[in-house]
Amino acid sequence: MIKNDLYLKALRGETVERPPVWMMRQAGRYLPEFIALRDKFDFFTRCQTPELASEITVQPIRRYPLDAAILFSDILVVPQAMGIDFKMKENVGPWLDNPIRTLEQVQNVIVPDVNDTLGYVFDAIELTLQKLDNEIPLIGFAGSPWTILCYCVEGKGSKAFDIAKSFCFQQPEAAHLLLQKITDTTIAYLKRKVEKGVSAVQVFDSWGGMLSPSDYQEFSWKYISQIVEALSPLTHVVVFGKGCWFALEEMTQSPVSALGVDWTIKPEFARTLTNHTMTLQGNFDPARLHSTPETIKKMVNEMINRFGKDRYIANLGHGILPNIPLENAEAFIRAVVDWKPNN
């Protein structure tokens, strides 16, 4: 039994004394101990070496009183497993020498045996669970099929992913075939994570907000919902769509355990769109961690009071930025841990 199960209680919709807290990208780039490993090992070596991935996962847990750990990995390990050869390029980010732009290329993409291609992730889960020793839950994650398609077609990061969108609109058959292959691989990948012992899984739809509401239904939610339907009988599923507030009503109809929201929506409106029945996660602006610790504490208290303590997971509205001072990250976490109803 997990000793601190506050996060799981929130996912189950149970009454809690305070909300649980964790931060997206908490295992990463703002921590000096992470930077020390980054300087020794390249990005995908860190992802693909179970000892390094598990060490990075627990680094923030040693520093802060977090209520959940999230396995250090990357959404692009899934397309890599499918034979799409992503690299992490210095000062550029994700990079693909030959972006996917034709139906023939899509037809050549494989749906792999995840045990063969992603075994290092499952080994990292085993090592991490040993280190966590049932203190807090471990979260596994994957990117949404649409978000992964964006990188596969664009070939790199983008502010608008115009090439990826054009590909979907000009070659819908190829787009849907690629999305389905990514979906099938992701379902197998997340199921194996659950078998290995993660307590919940989160689907990150980082670029869902690039689509119009109707295109979102066709090219993103249709595939996320397949993942939710396949995984929800097995574990808690959290969906976080950045910029996707317009889809919250529809998402609420699915068997998700929680929905993540970014900082561009008012807590009250998010509650209204989800019919006051859904556990919500978010939505502190990551850039606001540049405020003073005193301001952060005040804003966190206000955020909790507006969402309400139950059916709520305190988190950022996207990943923590690399240049956030450690004391500010701690101020965010401690403000949640120390929260009282009369704050």
Side-chain angles (χ1 to χ4, degrees):
M1 291 294 290
I2 293 171
K3 293 168 195 166
N4 173 358
D5 63 348
L6 197 59
Y7 171 73
L8 300 177
K9 283 180 175 175
L11 290 177
R12 293 193 294 261
E14 296 175 12
T15 300
V16 291
E17 289 187 6
R18 67 162 177 89
V21 59
W22 68 279
M23 295 189 300
M24 289 185 276
R25 287 193 190 264
Q26 69 187 19
R29 51 206 182 163
Y30 68 108
L31 291 172
E33 53 268 48
F34 173 87
I35 293 166
L37 288 177
R38 184 192 67 190
D39 292 344
K40 288 185 190 173
F41 305 99
D42 70 66
F43 182 78
F44 282 117
T45 297
R46 280 173 271 144
C47 291
Q48 294 165 2
T49 307
E51 294 77 10
L52 292 175
S54 66
E55 166 61 22
I56 292 167
T57 301
V58 300
Q59 282 177 344
I61 309 306
R62 295 190 189 118
R63 274 187 179 270
Y64 306 126
L66 292 153
D67 296 305
I70 185 163
L71 187 74
F72 175 76
S73 187
D74 192 78
I75 64 170
L76 296 180
V77 301
V78 166
Q80 280 181 333
M82 300 170 71
I84 302 168
D85 188 24
F86 272 100
K87 304 177 180 73
M88 199 59 74
K89 206 168 182 178
E90 190 87 22
N91 300 321
V92 176
W95 181 264
L96 198 55
D97 286 332
N98 298 300
I100 293 175
R101 304 279 170 83
T102 68
L103 177 59
E104 185 181 13
Q105 284 176 293
V106 174
Q107 288 167 336
N108 290 331
V109 170
I110 62 165
V111 175
D113 181 333
V114 294
N115 293 301
D116 291 341
T117 54
L118 290 162
Y120 59 87
V121 178
F122 311 134
D123 292 344
I125 290 171
E126 284 189 2
L127 289 175
T128 304
L129 290 172
Q130 289 171 20
K131 290 176 180 174
L132 291 175
D133 194 26
N134 289 321
E135 288 292 333
I136 56 174
L138 178 63
I139 304 166
F141 73 90
S144 75
W146 158 254
T147 289
I148 290 174
L149 175 143
C150 281
Y151 287 108
C152 292
V153 175
E154 205 86 20
K156 59 183 186 205
S158 167
K159 287 184 178 172
F161 287 100
D162 292 332
I163 298 171
K165 290 171 72 173
S166 298
F167 172 78
C168 290
F169 304 153
Q170 292 169 355
Q171 302 184 69
E173 181 190 351
H176 285 298
L177 180 59
L178 180 56
L179 286 163
Q180 193 59 56
K181 286 185 174 188
I182 296 167
T183 301
D184 294 344
T185 305
T186 301
I187 288 171
Y189 176 55
L190 291 177
K191 280 185 173 179
R192 191 74 181 118
K193 284 189 173 185
V194 174
E195 288 169 9
K196 282 291 183 176
V198 301
S199 295
V201 295
Q202 178 158 318
V203 178
F204 284 85
D205 196 9
S206 302
W207 304 122
M210 298 288 174
L211 293 166
S212 71
S214 59
D215 288 331
Y216 187 78
Q217 294 300 322
E218 181 177 354
F219 294 104
S220 189
W221 181 247
K222 175 179 170 182
Y223 296 96
I224 293 174
S225 63
Q226 288 183 44
I227 297 168
V228 173
E229 294 287 343
L231 270 295
S232 58
L234 309 174
T235 192
H236 295 288
V237 184
V238 181
V239 173
F240 169 63
K242 185 172 179 286
C244 300
W245 62 268
F246 55 79
L248 286 174
E249 285 176 289
E250 176 133 8
M251 290 174 171
T252 302
Q253 305 306 313
S254 76
V256 294
S257 292
L259 294 171
V261 289
D262 67 27
W263 63 94
T264 62
I265 188 169
K266 293 179 180 178
E268 298 83 0
F269 190 39
R271 287 290 186 205
T272 299
L273 289 174
T274 55
N275 204 27
H276 296 270
T277 61
M278 180 60 63
T279 295
L280 296 177
Q281 175 180 279
N283 68 337
F284 201 81
D285 182 348
R288 263 292 178 180
L289 292 180
H290 283 298
S291 302
T292 64
E294 295 75 22
T295 300
I296 292 167
K297 179 177 181 182
K298 182 182 171 195
M299 292 183 72
V300 168
N301 283 333
E302 181 186 344
M303 178 176 73
I304 296 171
N305 291 335
R306 291 177 71 183
F307 275 106
K309 71 173 174 66
D310 293 327
R311 292 187 183 273
Y312 176 57
I313 298 161
N315 206 317
L316 305 177
H318 203 222
I320 187 169
L321 300 168
N323 55 351
I324 296 299
L326 294 177
E327 60 269 26
N328 292 18
E330 182 168 10
F332 174 82
I333 295 159
R334 291 205 175 273
V336 183
V337 172
D338 296 339
W339 178 85
K340 296 286 188 296
N342 55 356
N343 280 9

